[in-house]
Amino acid sequence: MSADPQGRDLLALAVEIAAEAAVIVAKYAAERTYAIETKSSPTDLVTEADRESEALIVRAILAARPHDGLLGEEGASREGASGIRWVIDPIDGTTNFVYGIPAYSVSIGVERDGQVIAGVVHDVALKEAYTASLGGGAHLNGLPIHVSARADLSASLWGIGFAYDPHRRGEQAKFYDRVMTHIRDVRRMGSAALDLCRVASGQLDGYWEFQLNAWDIAAGGIIAREAGAVTRGFHGYTFEEGYVLASNPALNAPMLAVLDAYR
């Protein structure tokens, strides 16, 4: 597939905006003087940094492209007239951010008529930018990245995640417990966007989680795909509906069979 010119151009803007937002997030992380609140549950955190990061991103997008749509984790929602929608997670991994664990990012995906055509995940603590545009490949700080070549499911390393809702978390724990016997091990790092990027760079062989939101997976999803990953849903749901299975091609079908065996 040849590179999509519009995706390439929108990626350049997204990278610039994400870098600006990362400066704000890093400043808050260094000062550690910010208000912390909860959202959907006592474990679902939001901070001043999340809100200020999203506000900057929204202002920058609308200044450059006033007719585009928006969807942001912290409330940004706007219908557009251009066919382009920006899907924003101002801090993916807020709990890590609050606890000082260096695994959080600014994630910006760009959709055209419902298809993601560009994405950037800016790892704030490590100062690394994962990027991709449709047909243009995936990159880390400008260098090409690719998924792992591991083909043995029993020797594979996977990323996982858990919901904030206690009931859903309990369901996930039972499900993950059954899958564990089929793989080498798992890592739970607390940022879906970065987990998808770690699949893209070969640090993880795959990643699965369910009941995620669009802002969790828009940018990371295209980065994984452009790095050679297969992304799909499971249990009758699609990837876009938040049932996420992303891995190198050799492991995708074997893991799907394991996941579907425990419906």
Side-chain angles (χ1 to χ4, degrees):
M1 179 191 298
S2 60
D4 184 293
Q6 187 178 35
R8 181 193 59 219
D9 293 344
L10 291 173
L11 175 61
L13 178 59
V15 169
E16 178 183 335
I17 295 171
E20 293 176 7
V23 171
I24 288 177
V25 176
K27 179 176 179 290
Y28 274 105
E31 295 176 353
R32 301 192 63 80
T33 54
Y34 45 79
I36 303 171
E37 301 173 17
T38 59
K39 297 189 292 184
S40 63
S41 77
T43 57
D44 186 7
L45 303 179
V46 62
T47 72
E48 286 181 272
D50 294 85
R51 295 194 172 110
E52 187 172 337
S53 174
E54 182 162 297
L56 179 147
I57 293 167
V58 168
R59 286 195 305 271
I61 291 169
L62 295 183
R65 298 185 55 87
H67 303 296
D68 289 355
L70 300 167
L71 177 65
E73 181 177 13
E74 306 311 332
S77 180
R78 181 179 187 269
E79 293 295 324
S82 64
I84 299 296
R85 184 173 76 159
W86 297 71
V87 185
I88 305 159
D89 196 336
I91 303 179
D92 187 67
T94 298
T95 301
N96 287 343
F97 169 76
V98 169
Y99 279 80
I101 298 169
Y104 47 90
S105 64
V106 176
S107 175
I108 304 175
V110 189
E111 296 176 342
R112 181 177 62 212
D113 299 325
Q115 180 186 20
V116 181
I117 61 170
V120 55
V121 176
H122 191 116
D123 186 324
V124 178
L126 297 183
K127 299 180 181 180
E128 295 180 337
Y130 295 87
T131 60
S133 62
L134 189 63
H139 298 82
L140 170 57
N141 290 344
L143 298 176
I145 54 175
H146 200 273
V147 295
S148 74
R150 189 164 286 104
D152 181 357
L153 186 63
S154 67
S156 60
L157 181 66
W158 290 74
I160 62 169
F162 288 93
Y164 290 115
D165 177 77
H167 176 70
R168 285 168 56 191
R169 186 178 294 179
E171 292 178 343
Q172 289 172 319
K174 293 175 184 176
F175 180 73
Y176 294 148
D177 183 57
R178 293 170 178 171
V179 176
M180 282 292 295
T181 59
H182 298 274
I183 61 177
R184 167 174 281 155
D185 206 348
V186 298
R187 295 292 180 267
R188 194 277 200 252
M189 300 183 222
S191 169
L194 286 176
D195 282 335
L196 286 164
C197 290
R198 290 185 178 106
V199 173
S201 65
Q203 292 175 287
L204 293 173
D205 299 308
Y207 167 68
W208 86 93
E209 188 172 351
F210 53 96
Q211 299 177 320
L212 289 168
N213 296 295
W215 48 77
D216 298 315
I217 60 176
I222 189 171
I223 292 166
R225 287 188 293 275
E226 287 293 324
V230 176
T231 65
R232 68 193 308 166
F234 55 95
H235 290 185
Y237 297 92
T238 66
F239 178 89
E240 290 73 21
E241 290 173 306
Y243 280 67
V244 172
L245 169 57
S247 74
N248 72 39
L251 296 174
N252 205 264
M255 179 55 92
L256 180 64
V258 171
L259 297 177
D260 282 345
Y262 297 115
R263 296 187 63 167

